[in-house]
Amino acid sequence: MDKLYHIVTYGCQMNVHESEKIAGILSELGYSSTEDMERADIVVFNTCCIRENAENHAYGNIGMLKKLKARNKNMLIAVGGCLTQQINKADDLHEKFPYVDIIFGTHNLNKLKEYILAKRLQKKAVIKIEECDGRIDEGDKPLRTSYPNAWVNITYGCNNFCTYCIVPYVRGRERSRKSQDIIAEVKELVADGYKEITLLGQNVNSYGNGGADIPFYELLEKLAAIEGKFRIRFMTSHPKDFSEELAKVMAGNSKICNCLHLPVQSGSDSILKAMNRRYSSEDYLKKVEILKKYIPDCAITTDLIVGFPGESEKDFEDTLELVEKVDFASAFTFVYSPREGTKAAEMPEQVDGEISKRRIMKLIELVNSQTRAHSALFVGKQVEVLCEGYDEKRNAYMGRSEHGRMVYFGCSENKIGEFVAVKINEANGISLMGEII
């Protein structure tokens, strides 16, 4: 009888890809995937602590396994990721949930196999949290689950130390992979039939600052020169490191999507300074101007935080003004969430929750109006869509355009993994509906 595993993933694409690495380790041990947690022989929680909601969600789901573990004492429960890497969190987790068998951190994920084997030989929990040693393990064999998309790390860690962000403390300082290792991985993925490669890093366009041999824009050029029909995306970019050279490379290579996620976080210079973002609103707008000069139709997306400590009504109005000037294709909006261990959590002027709620609703209204307007521009036009899957509820295939819009279309043939031409007939918020040509 097969041994079964179930992985619960929180957070961003970085964590999704790390869950693929966890799946690869479990596959080597003879486990197969199951969507039914109750049938699993091992359940792994890959946690996130960027925002309080993600952390609370993880705690809630781990707590719900207490009864399941009581019924099936042979089930292994492992918890890893950013949450456990925080100071004292592993011990807190063990105290709250003594039935958790394995607790590991972000820097020793590759040793999960060793911990599972160790746990089989002992009754007590295996708790292993390691500090970053600056090395990059190139021996990962992820079990990829996102075909026709593939995630490829190019950097790990972060050197920016934004005052609201816990990432440098749980992911370590920035390290860049060697360009030849990245190029070799992408070549293999394209040969295996993957059609969209997303380069991952906390700050991809600072690639090269962490020990790499070439700057990010040169890496992109080399990847775009790989033979085959495929797309390249990358995230996340820090505005301070965005350059004209990068805009030129994006414009000059058809394989690189005309879509850039460029988190601004705030339109207020005083808040940006308090966040330690190291650019002003004017700097940001100049970067956007450069990008639009070379790629007029580039879909620019962003992250926005309201309610940061000390944010006044004028600061918030500055954010609304910047959003109107840039005209984002879409945006992720957040209410500031204090993270223990960051400088912002210790700032005295925490914004009242009701004020933050009012501001986020006003911001969402503006962002949504821009998103709808951008989607409407596609109606009547033909777009190239990479088909990613089938939506049972809509009874339609689905995939993204190069601008990042999700497109739904009907077809009698299975088109998953193929590029198809779709005429857009209708726009609905961030989604588009059309017919295959």
Side-chain angles (χ1 to χ4, degrees), residues 76 94 208 214 266 295 298 302 308 338 360 363 373 410 420 433:
L76 291 181
H94 180 56
I214 56 175
S266 174
I295 315 173
C298 186
T302 198
F308 186 82
I360 195 71
L363 178 61
V420 295
M433 281 66 71

Side-chain angles (χ1 to χ4, degrees), residues 313-431:
E313 200 64 30
K314 173 63 166 58
D315 293 324
F316 175 63
E317 291 296 329
D318 287 345
T319 295
L320 295 179
E321 183 180 344
L322 183 141
V323 171
E324 288 176 342
K325 285 181 179 178
V326 177
D327 188 22
F328 292 107
S330 64
F332 297 99
T333 57
F334 307 95
V335 172
Y336 167 72
S337 174
R339 299 284 75 203
E340 183 181 352
T342 63
K343 290 186 177 181
E346 301 172 1
M347 292 179 180
E349 299 178 59
Q350 300 291 321
V351 177
D352 179 77
E354 288 302 312
I355 293 176
S356 294
K357 183 177 179 181
R358 173 179 58 79
R359 290 176 183 171
I360 195 71
M361 295 307 294
K362 189 172 183 179
L363 178 61
I364 289 172
E365 183 180 0
L366 174 58
V367 166
N368 285 350
S369 68
Q370 291 184 342
T371 299
R372 288 191 295 268
H374 276 269
S375 292
L377 295 174
F378 290 98
V379 176
K381 296 182 179 179
Q382 177 180 319
V383 299
E384 184 179 64
V385 175
L386 173 59
C387 185
E388 300 176 5
Y390 185 80
D391 189 309
E392 297 284 351
K393 292 183 179 179
R394 294 176 183 256
N395 192 29
Y397 283 96
M398 54 188 279
R400 294 190 184 276
S401 69
E402 74 159 316
H403 292 92
R405 284 291 189 265
M406 183 60 73
V407 180
Y408 297 88
F409 61 94
C411 187
S412 59
E413 301 176 13
N414 185 344
K415 294 293 183 180
I416 296 174
E418 296 183 26
F419 288 99
V420 295
V422 178
K423 181 183 177 183
I424 305 303
N425 298 325
E426 184 182 350
N428 181 16
I430 202 167
S431 302

